[in-house]
Amino acid sequence: MFKGCRTNRQKRSLRQSFQNIFNPGLIFRLMKNRRPQHTVYQHKFPGSERPLPYAGSSVLLKADAVPGGPGGFRRKNRNNPGKKPSARILSKQRKFVPSVIRLQVGGGHSDGLCQPAGPGTVQRRIRHLSACSRIQRHSTAVFRKTQHLLGILPGPGYQMRQKQCFSLTVDPRDEKSFELARNLLDVLLDNSDSGYINVNMDEPFELGMGKSKEYADRHGKLSLYFDYMKKLHSYCLSRNRKMMMWGDEVLRAPEYVSRFPKDVILLDWIYEGDAHFEEHARLMQSTGLQFCLCPGTSSWGSLTGRSANMACNIRDAASCAIRYGGLGIITTDWGDQGHWQYISASYPAFAHTGLYAWSGPGDEDSLISWYCNCFLYESPDESAYQAAWDLGNYYRLENAPLYNTTLAFAVMSSKYTFDSVEEFDQKMDRLLKLSANIARSNKIPPRPQVISIDYDVLFSYLEKVDGEIEHAQILCPEGDLIRQEMKNGLRMVRHGIRLYHALKELRNDSAVLGEEMKVLYDDLDDILKEHYRLWSARNRSGGFGRSTNHMNHLLEFYRRASQL
């Protein structure tokens, strides 16, 4: 059990520490004893001479990425009526000892504008999530602004405001855009007692296009962006909230960084292990900015995770936050293209965040395995963590130069849909170009734009992982559910690779391809049925249809291709 420990004294210390963590009444004793009390943003590492300007760990749970849309945690578990999934998920976070839980709500409707789910429904959900987060030391309210309004605008009452938008990005010079942002913020701020608000403002892809193009051509896109950011900042101050926002636009132009308000917390996100936070962290430190570094769980866009990428990404974030005076790290967990991954796929990432944040990135990774097996999976033979880790490493055998996704997921996902073999080829070309752009923007050395899978090696690996999952001892209360999620996730991976193989290797034999399409149809139909059962075990069913639209599109493609 203590194979990561070198001495009996270290074993006793770890045993006592973990006993403290898992006694609900003493959950924060370890944090209380080890960090200065004058601020939640300092932590003294064992053996250090002084407190380091470092916040410990934070986990971002994105409520609208969790199946079911905004407030998707609310579905009651029929096996435990009355206990909401949001409470169970946040309770699980105790096991990783985060200092902050950040709940991101991606939709909201004030009573005077839109009531798609009944009067006050969104407000009640926000209050419920805020109340659940009080089991932690600190909570942060989050709302999405400027970009990512797709889920809000189609609602009744927003049609007039929708005309102010070009695609997904509001026109920042139109006062009605700010009125929309202010009204949406009010819904959250009126129902949350957090002192922080994240207005996001990331990825405004259409900024400076459409109605604002003329102004952007004259004054620059970032001038447009900063003017809008200042209005949001002033409003947050008027509501006595500390503003946080993503830094992708700001850090793209170092000359603007010095103009950034010093009382705003900038959140720098990088999700690739081959990329590094150091350049941005050094820049933010040199200009006196408050910042957090934000790696990811690498579970979204992957079906079962990207284990090696995740560990490298989180380790780099923790290291740079310590060296350059960051407030902390925020490990994000998103749900791109339907949130097909199960939350258990992110458990190893949460454990890595806890270890690196509390003990520093130099600590032994074997402690993570020991910790997860003992306290998360409750695996007496210490086999569960290895099964989860290996399940998330299949992507390394795809030999595909893709970033922020895996080939198995990308082939099945709704990103660049296809209805023919020719359209499938176009989809693959676009995915490779997109990944090449991600590599360039993150200064990752280029890789040959060729996918070269050894199918025998990959399927043999998946067979080995299947055996590990089957025989792993997982005795925690949700152990059976975790095992079933692992198995269906693995089945999705197999399906994606089989689909890629069929459309690449069998395309010249229509009879053989047609037979394979029949097999794939039956396989995906079974996967969807099991996926719904597993989805319903943790989440309300409201968002399932939207999430699985492309799986159903694939079923129709298989039916036509096989002439069923």
Side-chain angles (χ1 to χ4, degrees):
M1 178 180 288
F2 294 97
K3 59 186 178 184
C5 305
R6 290 180 291 272
T7 67
N8 289 331
R9 182 176 180 181
Q10 186 179 12
K11 293 177 185 178
R12 286 194 299 272
S13 175
L14 277 170
R15 184 186 293 112
Q16 183 60 49
S17 295
F18 285 120
Q19 285 173 350
N20 288 344
I21 292 170
F22 289 104
N23 182 327
L26 300 174
I27 184 169
F28 289 114
R29 180 198 290 176
L30 179 64
M31 297 167 64
K32 203 170 181 181
N33 289 345
R34 293 176 59 192
R35 58 183 354 192
Q37 293 304 296
H38 61 277
T39 171
V40 300
Y41 284 124
Q42 288 197 333
H43 173 65
K44 186 171 183 178
F45 285 88
S48 63
E49 294 298 323
R50 57 185 177 81
L52 295 175
Y54 185 58
S57 65
S58 173
V59 175
L60 171 56
L61 294 176
K62 180 170 174 286
D64 65 334
V66 171
F73 296 120
R74 285 189 59 86
R75 184 182 186 279
K76 292 184 180 180
N77 186 330
R78 54 175 165 255
N79 296 322
N80 187 9
K83 186 172 184 182
K84 297 177 175 64
S86 49
R88 293 198 309 275
I89 291 171
L90 288 168
S91 179
K92 175 70 71 174
Q93 293 301 323
R94 295 182 182 189
K95 297 196 172 187
F96 309 111
V97 204
S99 55
V100 180
I101 288 287
R102 301 177 61 242
L103 300 169
Q104 173 141 329
V105 181
H109 312 278
S110 64
D111 286 338
L113 290 173
C114 182
Q115 299 177 354
T121 299
V122 172
Q123 289 88 336
R124 286 196 300 273
R125 289 173 181 170
I126 294 169
R127 287 194 294 270
H128 167 64
L129 293 172
S130 181
C132 289
S133 70
R134 291 190 195 113
I135 66 173
Q136 304 297 340
R137 185 183 183 91
H138 180 65
S139 66
T140 302
V142 184
F143 204 89
R144 306 169 79 175
K145 282 290 153 320
T146 300
Q147 232 284 34
H148 300 312
L149 291 173
L150 187 61
I152 300 173
L153 293 175
Y158 282 128
Q159 275 73 15
M160 180 273 292
R161 289 162 177 77
Q162 192 168 4
K163 294 176 183 178
Q164 312 303 325
C165 300
F166 180 88
S167 188
L168 299 180
T169 304
V170 297
D171 176 8
R173 301 194 68 233
D174 191 323
E175 281 302 314
K176 291 176 181 176
S177 296
F178 180 69
E179 178 192 347
L180 169 65
R182 187 183 60 215
N183 289 338
L184 294 173
L185 277 169
D186 284 343
V187 175
L188 182 62
L189 297 178
D190 290 345
N191 293 280
S192 170
D193 56 7
S194 172
Y196 294 80
I197 175 70
N198 182 0
V199 299
N200 285 266
M201 296 189 68
D202 57 318
E203 298 182 333
F205 296 124
E206 299 85 12
L207 183 68
M209 302 166 65
K211 290 166 61 177
S212 61
K213 185 178 188 306
E214 183 179 346
Y215 183 91
D217 288 343
R218 265 200 326 268
H219 303 283
K221 283 203 313 182
L222 275 177
S223 176
L224 198 64
Y225 184 88
F226 264 73
D227 289 344
Y228 188 70
M229 180 271 292
K230 289 175 182 176
K231 293 170 73 173
L232 285 175
H233 179 219
S234 296
Y235 187 70
C236 291
L237 289 177
S238 73
R239 296 295 307 268
N240 296 315
R241 297 306 207 277
K242 190 173 184 66
M243 190 173 103
M244 310 167 79
M245 60 177 284
W246 298 112
D248 47 308
E249 286 297 308
V250 176
L251 296 171
R252 199 168 290 163
E255 65 274 14
Y256 275 82
V257 174
S258 60
R259 296 169 46 188
F260 195 78
K262 298 298 187 288
D263 61 340
V264 174
I265 299 175
L266 202 61
L267 310 175
D268 182 29
W269 58 269
I270 294 175
Y271 301 141
E272 295 304 322
D274 292 336
H276 300 288
F277 286 96
E278 184 168 15
E279 182 179 341
H280 287 173
R282 187 188 297 116
L283 174 63
M284 289 184 286
Q285 182 194 47
S286 67
T287 51
L289 293 181
Q290 301 179 71
F291 66 93
C292 291
L293 301 182
C294 308
T297 63
S298 298
S299 64
W300 67 91
S302 70
L303 299 172
T304 59
R306 294 185 293 150
S307 301
N309 182 85
M310 169 273 294
C312 187
N313 185 217
I314 296 174
R315 185 187 300 112
D316 182 63
S319 175
C320 289
I322 293 169
R323 283 185 286 136
Y324 295 102
L327 299 179
I329 62 174
I330 298 173
T331 295
T332 64
D333 195 28
W334 303 111
D336 297 24
Q337 310 301 317
H339 209 292
W340 293 353
Q341 82 276 14
Y342 305 108
I343 194 169
S344 57
S346 298
Y347 288 172
F350 297 151
H352 277 77
T353 302
L355 176 70
Y356 296 149
W358 283 103
S359 300
D363 223 330
E364 295 184 37
D365 288 351
S366 59
L367 287 177
I368 296 174
S369 173
W370 169 79
Y371 172 81
C372 288
N373 283 323
C374 290
F375 297 102
L376 179 61
Y377 300 116
E378 297 180 24
S379 178
D381 65 352
E382 302 188 22
S383 59
Y385 177 79
Q386 190 63 49
W389 176 265
D390 290 344
L391 180 59
N393 264 338
Y394 77 88
Y395 77 100
R396 304 177 83 179
L397 297 177
E398 290 180 329
N399 292 320
L402 300 178
Y403 296 98
N404 209 33
T405 190
T406 65
L407 182 64
F409 175 85
V411 169
M412 297 173 62
S413 78
S414 59
K415 199 174 189 70
Y416 314 136
T417 58
F418 61 91
D419 288 296
S420 66
V421 173
E422 291 73 25
E423 288 184 357
F424 171 78
D425 290 338
Q426 294 171 12
K427 170 175 180 167
M428 290 297 102
D429 288 341
R430 293 175 71 183
L431 281 168
L432 289 171
K433 289 177 181 175
L434 175 63
S435 285
N437 288 336
I438 292 174
R440 277 194 296 274
S441 63
N442 285 281
K443 299 182 179 179
I444 299 172
R447 298 165 61 188
Q449 297 298 291
V450 177
I451 299 172
S452 54
I453 301 178
D454 186 323
Y455 296 101
D456 290 338
V457 171
L458 179 51
F459 282 117
S460 176
Y461 179 82
L462 296 178
E463 192 67 29
K464 177 183 80 77
V465 173
D466 196 7
E468 291 178 359
I469 296 170
E470 184 67 34
H471 296 102
Q473 294 183 357
I474 312 176
L475 304 184
C476 62
E478 60 172 338
D480 288 342
L481 180 59
I482 291 175
R483 190 191 311 276
Q484 292 158 13
E485 289 173 339
M486 286 180 171
K487 291 180 77 68
N488 208 49
L490 177 61
R491 192 170 181 181
M492 289 185 196
V493 170
R494 279 200 182 108
H495 188 92
I497 299 301
R498 283 192 67 171
L499 172 58
Y500 182 82
H501 174 266
L503 295 180
K504 280 294 186 182
E505 308 298 333
L506 307 180
R507 62 174 60 194
N508 295 325
D509 191 327
S510 58
V512 174
L513 180 61
E515 288 301 313
E516 182 68 1
M517 293 294 105
K518 291 179 182 178
V519 174
L520 288 172
Y521 180 96
D522 291 339
D523 186 47
L524 185 56
D525 189 49
D526 289 342
I527 286 172
L528 267 171
K529 292 172 183 174
E530 177 69 357
H531 186 47
Y532 180 74
R533 187 184 70 81
L534 296 172
W535 175 294
S536 300
R538 294 190 189 269
N539 316 285
R540 67 183 179 90
S541 58
F544 185 81
R546 187 175 68 235
S547 170
T548 54
N549 272 343
H550 194 59
M551 287 192 189
N552 289 308
H553 182 88
L554 273 179
L555 286 175
E556 180 61 21
F557 173 75
Y558 295 153
R559 188 190 64 77
R560 291 197 310 269
S562 60
Q563 298 180 343
L564 286 172

